[in-house]
């Protein structure tokens, strides 16, 4: 789960950012502030991964704010500057801001900026997935997920404890945010290679440890199957029958 924070006093900008970030399961808003001390305290306390920062007429000396923050916190957030002036772009980048959004904000530009941030944050470090539904937050540990199965426009998570948890998002939504031990092997399945006990090329199936689920794969994704097989073989003694 990735937390983000907003430093702004424009309700329209704040709402637009929150609306776009609702589409990203890995992000959770921890607050909004336009006060120097309050914003500093929240960032130092909660250590958000991403901060949207309106650098115009919100906080005096915004670049001094980020410099001061850097003195106290080794985990420096990714900052995205917001301004109505293109002249602020160079100064923002020079002061360590990751990206720049020109106001008034548009959904497209916010989305593009967030996608750039996701490329910057390593997928491997994400250990949980948060399934959000209104004010209901459900957290799944990725190393407890056996596989994911598409069910129309929803996705079922098959868990190591035998439970099945549904999320009302497509399989593709999760494909880009899962750690690298997850592989798409079928248009309807993503599998956690750490739970595979058998790969049968003749039957086009992968068998899951403990419960013996047989998850199908297709030739379209044979490259991913070969990658899984190679990775598992490297940590196994090979005995040819």
């Amino acid at each position: 789960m990735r937390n983000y924070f907003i430093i702004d006093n424009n309700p329209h900008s704040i709402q637009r950012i929150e609306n776009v970030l609702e589409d990203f399961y890995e992000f959770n808003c921890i607050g909004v502030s336009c006060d120097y001390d309050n914003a500093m305290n929240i960032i130092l306390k909660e250590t958000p991964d991403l901060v949207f920062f309106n650098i115009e007429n919100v906080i005096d000396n915004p670049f001094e704010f980020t410099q001061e923050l850097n003195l106290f916190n080794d985990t420096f957030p990714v900052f995205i500057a917001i301004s109505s002036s293109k002249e602020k772009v160079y100064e923002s980048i020079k002061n360590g801001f990751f990206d720049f959004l020109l106001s008034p904000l548009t959904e497209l530009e916010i989305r593009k900026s967030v996608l750039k941030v996701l490329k910057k944050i390593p997928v491997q470090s994400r250990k949980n997935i948060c399934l959000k539904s209104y004010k209901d937050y459900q957290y799944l540990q990725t190393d407890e997920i056996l596989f994911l199965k598409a069910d129309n426009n929803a996705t079922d998570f098959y868990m190591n404890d035998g439970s099945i948890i549904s999320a009302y998002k497509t399989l593709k939504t999760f494909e880009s945010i899962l750690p690298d031990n997850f592989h798409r092997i079928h248009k309807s399945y993503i599998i956690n290679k750490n739970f595979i006990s058998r790969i049968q090329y003749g039957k086009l199936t992968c068998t899951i440890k403990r419960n013996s689920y047989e998850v199908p794969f297709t030739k379209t994704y044979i490259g991913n199957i070969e990658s899984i097989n190679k990775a598992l073989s490297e940590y196994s003694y090979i005995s040819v029958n």
Side-chain angles (χ1 to χ4, degrees), residues 16-31:
R16 182 146 287 179
I17 291 168
E18 291 179 340
N19 287 345
V20 174
L21 270 290
E22 277 292 320
D23 293 336
F24 293 87
Y25 269 84
E26 57 270 63
F27 281 109
N28 173 56
C29 183
I30 60 169

Side-chain angles (χ1 to χ4, degrees), residues 176-231:
S176 62
I177 65 174
L178 287 164
D180 57 7
N181 52 298
F182 286 83
H183 298 265
R184 186 79 172 258
I185 62 169
H186 188 285
K187 70 175 184 177
S188 298
Y189 291 92
I190 294 174
I191 197 167
N192 183 348
K193 73 175 177 61
N194 295 337
F195 286 102
I196 293 175
S197 62
R198 187 176 187 178
I199 299 174
Q200 293 179 275
Y201 286 90
K203 293 176 63 177
L204 297 178
T205 60
C206 295
T207 304
I208 301 295
K209 299 174 185 176
R210 299 176 190 159
N211 54 26
S212 298
Y213 278 119
E214 288 198 350
V215 180
F217 63 86
T218 59
K219 293 181 179 179
T220 304
Y221 295 94
I222 198 68
N224 289 344
I225 292 295
E226 294 290 353
S227 177
I228 293 170
N229 198 23
K230 181 180 177 181

Side-chain angles (χ1 to χ4, degrees), residues 109 116 130 164 214 233:
E109 292 306 314
K116 285 193 283 186
C130 177
I164 301 173
E214 288 198 350
S233 296

Side-chain angles (χ1 to χ4, degrees), residues 4-6 30-48 65 69 73:
Y4 73 94
F5 184 65
I6 302 172
I30 60 169
V32 178
S33 181
C34 58
D35 176 76
Y36 190 107
D37 289 343
N38 181 252
M40 178 70 70
N41 184 56
I42 291 175
I43 293 173
L44 290 175
K45 180 181 178 181
E46 303 293 341
T47 60
F65 178 94
L69 178 65
N73 199 345

Side-chain angles (χ1 to χ4, degrees), residues 75-113:
T75 309
F76 194 71
V78 173
F79 275 91
I80 296 176
I82 301 170
S83 174
S84 61
S85 172
K86 291 183 179 180
E87 295 175 0
K88 297 284 187 179
V89 174
Y90 174 74
E91 192 175 3
S92 300
I93 301 303
K94 188 176 73 172
N95 280 277
F97 281 70
F98 175 74
D99 203 2
F100 184 93
L101 291 173
L102 194 64
S103 60
L105 302 182
T106 67
E107 177 181 336
L108 175 60
E109 292 306 314
I110 296 170
R111 191 176 303 280
K112 285 160 62 175
S113 190

